[in-house]
Amino acid sequence: MKIVCLVKQVPRADAIEFDDETKSLRREGVPLLLNPFDAAAVVQAVELRERHGGEVVALTMGPPQAESALKTCLALGADRCIHLSDRAFAVADTLGTSRTLALAIRKEGGVDLVLCGRKTTDSETWQVPPETGAFLGWPHLTNVVELDVDDGRITATRETERGYDTYELERPAVLSVGRAHDADGARDGEIAVWTATDLVDDLHENDKRFGQSGSPTRVLAVRDVTPERAGFRTSDAAEATARIRELLVDRAEESTSWEKPERLGEQPGAGYDSWTLVELADGAPTRASLELLAKGRELAGKLGGENVALVLGHGVGDLRLGRHGADRVVVVDDARLEGYQPDVWSAALVEVLNRYGPHVLTIPATALGRDLGPRAAGELGLGMTGDCVNLGIDRAGRLIQTKPAYGGNIVSVIMGATTPQLATVRPRMFEPLEERDVDAKAERVALDGLPEPRVRLVQSRSAPALDLDESSMVVLLGPDAPEAFVPDGKAVAGTRERDDLPTNRRVGLSGRAVAPSVLVAVGVPGHFEQQTGIVKSTVVVAIGCGPGLEDVADVIFDGEPAVLVDAL
């Protein structure tokens, strides 16, 4: 079995600094390392090779210094490496990168399985694995935490906010690994260097298959958005509670308005609608979906179009989405959409996008959205920005997307050149609208071309963690939290050291991010890994935490944690 691991060299995230004078990142002297999620993919590939035979090939695209990341792959057990290095590849976005990687995988030939990390630590995109799968025409699956191969069949379990879903896939396939693995060291070995002319025999200037020319998104600006934290210290629960409430008032976001803003720019043409993919949980729309539907009224107003809700699934009831801001609701209700099967769902989304051609489509940055959106973008060759924290519209009708990088205190402002304009957006970035007794136009759509699934859902194990996105307060337990401290009725998460909690409740750079109104951290040392998971929280309260977290806290409480949590 031949396994290709897609890897990337990244700057050490905690060493990145922002230069206020040049409004850019300082990269000189920043240590470079193999992306920890990609390192985990190499470790997983080597384990599969040991059980089933074959070889492991590490593949990267980058400048000459990226060779050091490949040497780390060799130290982890890879058999050989391929280094894509050419000026033609420079400044590629995720779509341009995925297209180039797919060409290299085709050239290598005989590949049974492609493994890569679910994301890189210098950004929050999960896009390359699904987009690479789209260019190859192979099935894909993201955020895989268990994997095995038997008699040519792949069995993989992916982690979601709802629990753990096990799938069977046909080979060849593209999978992303949901765990991180710190790796250093180096070993010499076979590293082949390929240029653009090794991938195509008709390379030309500004070739739209590669680099910036082949990339539909552009970074307009980079900004430092490190929040100012109050650092108020107290041991009195009443005093702490009062201070937290003051900060919540001071930092309150503007409420989302039902009233659409005036259209920007000149009269747009037809189809200037803003669409939202509405994700369901137990038959009801998730809060993250309602947040985007609320933001959609602003986007639609500036575009001069309708705010449209798109629902995919089976047995979809009357969701009354007009009460939450939708002007129109498009429902695709199909038995083939029972349970999430990536290739069937992405085919459905592609057909809808081709049929209706919305100007903008926003998608919750959940396990489903991060898997589905990039696959559709790859199938259609569309630019997409993942894990956005803000959205806007310029006078030309382009979607302005703000996304985090390097842990979240640095953001990039991005614009795309293709339409529909796609973006996934983190939960709790906007407020849902207050419900009104309003009806929306409804349309139920039948689709024709849905394929037979190549990725089959065979088992689901429930481990609900949606409350971390839905709740206004999250309690984060670190390794130094009091034994058995789990407050009743609160959304509870843990750092990666907390093996007593499901892994879909782990918060940090190697886990997930949360953004509640109040984040209460108990016994958290406050390393960079942990800070990155809570940076968008409105108010951060530190109880019994290390100086790392106290430095980024608003309220440092020295009393008993249960007293303060109950007071809030």
Side-chain angles (χ1 to χ4, degrees):
M1 180 170 62
K2 182 187 289 189
I3 305 173
V4 169
C5 295
L6 306 181
V7 304
K8 183 182 179 184
Q9 185 181 63
V10 296
R12 203 179 78 194
D14 61 350
I16 289 288
E17 294 181 353
F18 187 78
D19 190 323
D20 286 320
E21 292 186 5
T22 63
K23 302 300 180 185
S24 62
L25 300 177
R26 296 192 186 101
R27 298 181 182 273
E28 296 77 11
V30 175
L32 302 173
L33 65 145
L34 175 63
N35 175 45
F37 289 93
D38 298 339
V42 176
V43 170
Q44 177 73 76
V46 170
E47 290 176 358
L48 289 172
R49 182 197 63 199
E50 294 304 306
R51 293 203 299 270
H52 304 288
E55 67 171 339
V56 174
V57 183
L59 169 63
T60 195
M61 186 178 85
Q65 60 264 35
E67 179 182 300
S68 63
L70 292 176
K71 289 185 175 182
T72 302
C73 293
L74 290 168
L76 290 172
D79 297 290
R80 56 187 176 89
C81 301
I82 300 169
H83 186 180
L84 303 178
S85 186
D86 193 312
R87 289 184 180 276
F89 302 149
V91 201
D93 67 2
T94 56
L95 192 77
T97 298
S98 300
R99 184 188 296 109
T100 302
L101 292 172
L103 285 169
I105 293 166
R106 291 275 189 209
K107 172 180 168 59
E108 171 63 23
V111 177
D112 298 286
L113 180 61
V114 174
L115 290 182
C116 42
R118 77 177 185 198
K119 68 173 185 178
T120 57
T121 54
D122 59 349
S123 67
E124 284 291 338
T125 60
W126 296 38
Q127 291 162 237
V128 168
E131 290 179 350
T132 302
F135 281 115
L136 290 168
W138 296 356
H140 84 277
L141 200 63
T142 56
N143 207 24
V144 171
V145 293
E146 296 176 12
L147 175 62
D148 199 6
V149 178
D150 185 30
D151 292 331
R153 301 287 300 176
I154 301 168
T155 302
T157 299
R158 73 186 297 257
E159 180 182 283
T160 75
E161 299 85 1
R162 295 169 175 80
Y164 302 88
D165 294 333
T166 300
Y167 293 83
E168 289 183 349
L169 294 84
E170 299 176 0
R171 285 166 44 179
V174 180
L175 306 182
S176 74
V177 175
R179 299 282 183 262
H181 180 89
D182 295 328
D184 53 18
R187 182 172 69 83
D188 289 333
E190 181 184 347
I191 300 177
V193 179
W194 291 355
T195 65
T197 55
D198 291 306
L199 304 183
V200 297
D201 57 10
D202 57 346
L203 181 71
H204 54 271
E205 189 175 358
N206 299 322
D207 197 313
K208 292 189 179 297
R209 291 169 291 187
F210 302 115
Q212 189 170 42
S213 298
S215 299
T217 62
R218 300 283 187 276
V219 176
L220 303 180
V222 179
R223 297 172 182 163
D224 184 353
V225 294
T226 303
E228 292 186 9
R229 297 297 185 182
F232 175 75
R233 184 180 290 274
T234 182
S235 59
D236 182 83
E239 187 177 34
T241 302
R243 182 63 175 138
I244 293 166
R245 288 176 176 157
E246 289 174 5
L247 289 168
L248 287 173
V249 171
D250 291 344
R251 297 174 183 174
E253 295 282 345
E254 291 185 15
S255 59
T256 311
S257 175
W258 269 87
E259 302 307 314
K260 290 182 180 178
E262 292 185 3
R263 184 186 65 248
L264 294 176
E266 299 178 357
Q267 176 69 39
Y272 267 55
D273 297 331
S274 177
W275 286 48
T276 296
L277 179 68
V278 174
E279 188 173 344
L280 305 180
D282 298 323
T286 62
R287 176 191 161 97
S289 300
L290 298 183
E291 292 170 11
L292 291 184
L293 201 55
K295 184 67 173 180
R297 288 196 70 80
E298 174 193 328
L299 302 179
K302 292 179 178 180
L303 289 169
E306 288 188 310
N307 188 30
V308 182
L310 170 62
V311 185
L312 305 178
H314 181 52
V316 179
D318 184 3
L319 302 175
R320 304 295 301 276
L321 292 173
R323 297 161 82 76
H324 301 281
D327 298 316
R328 183 158 57 103
V329 180
V330 175
V331 177
V332 180
D333 191 329
D334 194 301
R336 293 166 291 184
L337 299 175
E338 178 75 41
Y340 179 64
Q341 301 187 107
D343 45 356
V344 180
W345 278 63
S346 60
L349 182 56
V350 165
E351 187 171 339
V352 169
L353 292 175
N354 280 330
R355 184 180 300 188
Y356 289 93
H359 197 68
V360 167
L361 172 65
T362 61
I363 303 169
T366 58
L368 184 149
R370 289 163 167 157
D371 191 274
L372 174 62
R375 180 69 189 218
E379 296 282 357
L380 295 171
L382 298 174
M384 180 176 180
T385 303
D387 257 57
C388 295
V389 295
N390 202 0
L391 300 171
I393 298 292
D394 71 0
R395 290 189 174 276
R398 305 309 302 175
L399 184 67
I400 305 300
Q401 303 143 86
T402 303
K403 75 172 307 300
Y406 301 103
N409 287 333
I410 305 296
V411 298
S412 300
V413 182
I414 297 173
M415 183 175 71
T418 51
T419 304
Q421 301 173 82
L422 307 184
T424 63
V425 184
R426 284 188 180 184
R428 298 197 69 88
M429 294 300 103
F430 313 113
E431 286 294 318
L433 292 166
E434 292 186 9
E435 288 190 44
R436 290 186 179 181
D437 191 12
V438 176
D439 290 327
K441 295 175 287 186
E443 179 181 357
R444 288 192 171 252
V445 179
L447 301 182
D448 301 323
L450 297 186
E452 287 298 316
R454 294 179 293 171
V455 185
R456 296 178 180 85
L457 178 63
V458 295
Q459 185 182 23
S460 292
R461 177 163 58 90
S462 178
L466 268 173
D467 56 333
L468 298 182
D469 293 334
E470 307 267 346
S471 301
S472 60
M473 178 192 289
V474 171
V475 179
L476 175 62
L477 303 180
D480 301 324
E483 187 175 353
F485 173 69
V486 180
D488 293 334
K490 301 295 189 296
V492 176
T495 61
R496 66 178 178 181
E497 299 88 356
R498 297 293 303 223
D499 293 333
D500 55 329
L501 292 172
T503 54
N504 62 356
R505 289 186 174 272
R506 292 182 185 172
V507 168
L509 187 62
S510 61
R512 60 182 295 177
V514 292
S517 299
V518 179
L519 186 287
V520 180
V522 184
V524 177
H527 305 311
F528 181 81
E529 148 77 23
Q530 297 146 4
Q531 293 179 23
T532 58
I534 63 174
V535 67
K536 295 297 290 184
S537 303
T538 306
V539 176
V540 176
V541 183
I543 303 174
C545 294
L549 196 73
E550 291 179 357
D551 289 343
V552 296
D554 292 295
V555 174
I556 303 161
F557 183 66
D558 294 324
E560 290 295 324
V563 174
L564 178 60
V565 173
D566 289 342
L568 288 172

